[in-house]
């Protein structure tokens, strides 16, 4: 029995301060997005900057560096899977990343981000990428500095990919996209050639906001999100999830009164993130292990509940009667099969956040290909808007008529450039890989959905994903849960099976 050195307890105490400060910052952010009076924006910016600064100073203090050094021998004696070893692993990783980036670079990034956001808003107003380009040039130059500060082996983008998806490399991401491109581009074409197959008119009627919120709340509770004592559902402009412990998880949604799916599926998406957060061990509450494995693994959970469950035949059969009782006039004549088809309509779209399951990853792929071309020196930022249009024509057969519906649509490039979107695709791919394994292990899983029974899936995800917190990298987590490395097979099989059936291909 290895005894726990005092120095380990000292380190864990400091990390608890870091984690508590991060959660306090998260609460300030939640309030800013949901409740705060608008005139408080500037003061709130100061509050958050101070708390962030304190958390960063705690994490990067010389004492933490010294403790991590002193604990190296102890760490080598610990089993890899132990909470202690994982805590030291994750703390070391975060300490090294945070100390490699010089403080002045952090300040310049944060200033450029604030400025970039303002310039992006102006460019959107002018509907002109050229207005935004100088800000993006600055951001790109800063990101190159970050890659040099963090270090990389095969490709500078590896440093940025690793920020979001620890352990994954640019080459692996490219291999995923090669698979997706080969299947999704022709599948999309075949579907686009069959317009009029699906009538989504009934979900485009008028649906009053209050009843939609009642429906969203019911859907979140149905999949197991605890809204009773450990969670909240509120409104915000962009739906998001945040948490301050597994016992306090906040999700938000938004409502479109002329399109029923917006609120329902945004809520199921955030409830998926929320189940992950509520499913983290309470013992990790103040631990550096008390968060999801990566952005991509977090997305695997949200996309699972939004798409694989929420947009399944079983869920539609279960939930349509609930919706019909709230909206008898609008949905009175709708069948479960009609509803299932309406919420799975595929069409080439210009806007990523409106994209369906077949085309979504093409939107992500386009952004990644452009980012990589810039890093490889094959594309200059002056030609970005034109290159964007060319890729949309190639992959989706449509060309954005202006920059607003093209290169200026995402907020992500106001604060970063390089690997801003890859987590969405890692989420789709890993989510289906996890789901396929769960389905193989749980008899009659999908028949349960039609009865409103989601417990078996939720518990499987809890055991195999949520319960580990941040102990494992995405690759390790997927491999432990499924016995295989991250692969596109299950995702592509699911997409082809579902949409060939719906579109009669
Ligand atoms: Zn999400």
């Amino acid at each position: 029995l290895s005894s726990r050195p005092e120095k380990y307890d000292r380190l864990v105490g400091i990390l608890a301060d870091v984690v508590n400060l991060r959660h306090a910052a998260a609460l300030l952010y939640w309030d800013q997005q949901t409740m705060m009076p608008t005139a408080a924006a500037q003061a709130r910016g100061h509050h958050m900057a101070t708390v962030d600064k304190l958390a960063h100073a705690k994490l990067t203090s010389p004492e933490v560096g010294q403790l991590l050094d002193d604990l190296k021998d102890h760490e080598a004696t610990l089993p890899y899977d132990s909470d202690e070893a994982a805590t030291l692993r994750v703390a070391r990783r975060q300490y090294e990343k945070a100390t490699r980036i010089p403080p002045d670079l952090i300040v310049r990034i944060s200033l450029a981000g604030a400025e970039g956001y303002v310039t992006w808003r102006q460019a959107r107003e002018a509907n002109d990428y050229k207005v935004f380009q100088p800000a993006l040039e600055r951001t790109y130059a800063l990101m190159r500095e970050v890659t040099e500060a963090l270090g990389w082996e095969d490709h500078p983008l590896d440093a940025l990919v690793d920020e979001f998806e620890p352990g994954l490399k640019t080459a692996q991401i490219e291999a995923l996209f090669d698979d997706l491109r080969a299947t999704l581009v022709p599948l999309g074409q075949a579907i686009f050639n069959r317009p009029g197959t699906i009538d989504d008119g009934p979900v485009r009627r008028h649906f009053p906001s209050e009843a939609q919120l009642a429906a969203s709340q019911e859907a979140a509770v149905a999949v197991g999100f605890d809204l009773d004592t450990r969670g909240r559902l509120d409104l915000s402009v962009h739906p998001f999830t945040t948490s301050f412990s597994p016992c306090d998880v906040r999700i938000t949604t938004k409502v479109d009164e002329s399109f029923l799916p917006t609120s329902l599926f945004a809520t199921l998406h955030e409830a998926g993130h929320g189940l992950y957060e509520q499913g983290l061990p309470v013992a990790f509450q103040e631990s550096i292990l008390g968060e999801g494995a990566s952005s991509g693994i977090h997305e695997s959970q949200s996309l699972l509940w939004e798409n694989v469950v929420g947009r399944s035949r079983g869920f539609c059969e279960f939930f349509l009667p609930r919706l019909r009782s709230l909206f008898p006039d609008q949905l009175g004549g709708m069948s479960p099969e009609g509803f299932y088809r309406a919420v799975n309509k595929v069409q080439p779209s210009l806007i990523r956040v409106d994209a369906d399951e077949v085309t979504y990853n093409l939107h992500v792929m386009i952004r990644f290909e452009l980012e990589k071309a810039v890093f490889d020196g094959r594309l200059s930022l002056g030609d970005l808007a034109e290159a964007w249009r060319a890729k949309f024509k190639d992959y989706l057969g449509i060309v954005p008529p202006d920059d607003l519906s093209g290169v200026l649509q995402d907020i992500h490039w106001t604060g970063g450039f390089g690997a801003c979107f890859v987590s969405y695709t890692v989420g789709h791919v890993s989510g289906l890989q996890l789901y396929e394994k769960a389905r193989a292990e749980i008899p009659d899983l999908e028949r349960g959905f039609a009865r409103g029974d989601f417990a078996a899936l939720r518990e499987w995800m809890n055991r195999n994903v949520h319960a580990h917190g941040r102990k494992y990298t995405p690759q390790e987590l997927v491999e432990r849960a499924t016995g295989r490395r991250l692969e596109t097979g299950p995702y592509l099989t699911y997409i082809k099976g579902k949409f060939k059936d719906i579109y009669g291909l």
Side-chain angles (χ1 to χ4, degrees):
L1 200 81
S2 74
S3 69
R4 231 168 56 183
E6 240 170 74
K7 283 182 175 171
Y8 178 83
D9 290 335
R10 171 70 194 142
L11 178 68
V12 163
I14 299 173
L15 295 176
D17 286 342
V18 174
V19 170
N20 287 330
L21 285 165
R22 286 177 183 168
H23 286 153
L27 178 53
L28 291 171
Y29 176 80
W30 175 83
D31 178 74
Q32 180 191 50
Q33 298 295 317
T34 55
M35 299 285 164
M36 188 186 80
T38 49
Q42 204 191 16
R44 181 56 47 89
H46 292 310
H47 305 155
M48 299 203 307
T50 297
V51 178
D52 285 344
K53 197 164 70 183
L54 288 173
H56 187 261
K58 284 249 170 216
L59 177 65
T60 55
S61 69
E63 188 184 6
V64 169
Q66 190 61 52
L67 288 167
L68 284 169
D69 271 353
D70 294 347
L71 286 161
K72 261 191 184 142
D73 291 343
H74 175 64
E75 189 178 353
T77 69
L78 298 167
Y80 188 86
D81 291 354
S82 67
D83 289 354
E84 250 184 279
T87 299
L88 289 166
R89 218 163 40 233
V90 174
R92 193 180 303 287
R93 185 189 144 82
Q94 292 191 10
Y95 171 81
E96 282 174 2
K97 278 187 180 291
T99 49
R100 270 182 207 160
I101 302 183
D104 81 287
L105 180 53
I106 294 177
V107 172
R108 283 187 289 136
I109 290 171
S110 136
L111 289 175
E115 235 180 84
Y117 178 71
V118 172
T119 314
W120 176 69
R121 293 284 296 263
Q122 288 164 349
R124 282 176 62 88
E125 226 149 89
N127 199 353
D128 185 0
Y129 167 71
K130 291 282 172 221
V131 175
F132 181 55
Q133 192 193 324
L136 192 55
E137 304 265 10
R138 259 195 311 278
T139 303
Y140 170 61
L142 288 168
M143 291 301 112
R144 295 241 43 147
E145 277 191 60
V146 169
T147 62
E148 293 316 311
L150 291 175
W152 49 271
E153 276 167 31
D154 306 323
H155 195 282
L157 269 179
D158 287 350
L160 301 180
V161 169
D162 193 81
E163 288 283 278
F164 297 99
E165 305 303 322
L168 285 185
K169 300 267 197 205
T170 307
Q172 284 169 282
I173 303 287
E174 281 192 294
L176 296 181
F177 282 128
D178 287 343
D179 290 353
L180 298 184
R181 191 186 300 109
T183 298
L184 297 179
V185 172
L187 179 63
Q189 287 307 326
I191 292 173
F192 305 155
N193 287 333
R194 316 200 54 161
T197 308
I198 288 178
D199 172 22
D200 66 350
V203 299
R204 293 186 178 277
R205 293 174 178 149
H206 181 75
F207 297 90
S209 172
E210 224 163 286
Q212 282 207 52
L213 274 176
S216 293
Q217 189 152 334
E218 215 172 306
V221 171
V223 297
F225 182 72
D226 182 355
L227 266 176
D228 194 23
T229 59
R230 299 193 301 147
R232 284 187 62 92
L233 170 64
D234 295 275
L235 285 168
S236 66
V237 178
H238 304 287
F240 70 98
T241 297
T242 190
S243 90
F244 327 118
S245 92
C247 304
D248 188 352
V249 180
R250 315 279 176 99
I251 64 174
T252 71
T253 190
K254 67 172 179 184
V255 175
D256 179 346
E257 289 203 316
S258 59
F259 191 53
L260 181 65
T262 298
S263 167
L264 177 62
F265 292 105
T267 305
L268 283 169
H269 181 99
E270 300 308 329
H273 284 303
L275 286 171
Y276 198 163
E277 294 293 323
Q278 287 185 338
L280 294 169
V282 176
F284 289 172
Q285 185 157 263
E286 291 185 291
S287 161
I288 205 146
L289 302 180
E291 60 178 328
S294 75
S295 309
I297 300 298
H298 231 299
E299 283 303 311
S300 81
Q301 300 302 293
S302 54
L303 294 164
L304 177 78
W305 292 98
E306 175 193 353
N307 292 331
V308 185
V309 176
R311 287 185 162 92
S312 68
R313 277 203 170 88
F315 186 88
C316 291
E317 206 175 301
F318 155 69
F319 207 64
L320 183 65
R322 297 299 314 131
L323 289 170
R324 254 205 238 110
S325 73
L326 286 161
F327 307 107
D329 298 338
Q330 298 92 323
L331 297 174
M334 185 136 229
S335 68
E337 181 67 16
F339 186 66
Y340 169 69
R341 294 171 69 84
V343 300
N344 281 297
K345 186 170 180 167
V346 176
Q347 51 202 345
S349 60
L350 296 170
I351 306 296
R352 175 182 58 86
V353 296
D354 296 336
D356 49 73
E357 280 187 272
V358 173
T359 57
Y360 191 90
N361 283 296
L362 299 177
H363 287 255
V364 177
M365 185 176 79
I366 288 170
R367 287 154 176 79
F368 180 72
E369 287 182 356
L370 293 173
E371 289 176 323
K372 180 147 189 301
V374 171
F375 270 81
D376 288 343
R378 290 180 282 115
L379 176 66
S380 94
L381 286 169
D383 300 328
L384 188 68
E386 188 52 47
W388 177 289
R389 285 192 285 273
K391 292 233 181 254
F392 265 77
K393 189 162 189 338
D394 276 1
Y395 296 142
L396 289 153
I398 49 173
V399 181
D402 55 16
D403 291 342
L404 206 51
S405 55
V407 70
L408 287 177
Q409 66 184 267
D410 301 299
I411 196 173
H412 302 55
W413 283 344
T414 65
F417 190 82
C420 298
F421 299 91
V422 297
S423 293
Y424 298 118
T425 294
V426 171
H428 278 101
V429 169
S430 61
L432 260 299
Q433 205 174 331
L434 292 164
Y435 181 73
E436 278 310 307
K437 185 69 177 174
R439 200 167 69 147
E441 289 182 3
I442 305 168
D444 288 334
L445 175 64
E446 287 172 358
R447 233 175 292 167
F449 296 170
R451 299 190 304 268
D453 181 2
F454 309 102
L457 180 61
R458 189 176 63 245
E459 283 158 14
W460 192 95
M461 289 297 160
N462 186 267
R463 279 195 308 279
N464 289 281
V465 181
H466 310 168
H468 299 310
R470 209 177 179 82
K471 275 175 84 164
Y472 303 113
T473 65
Q475 188 71 264
E476 287 170 349
L477 184 127
V478 166
E479 214 166 335
R480 286 175 60 94
T482 70
R484 303 181 61 90
R485 292 176 67 75
L486 190 61
E487 58 185 0
T488 54
Y491 173 72
L492 290 174
T493 303
Y494 159 80
I495 291 285
K496 278 187 291 190
K498 179 174 179 177
F499 290 94
K500 282 186 173 177
D501 166 57
I502 290 176
Y503 278 88
L505 294 167

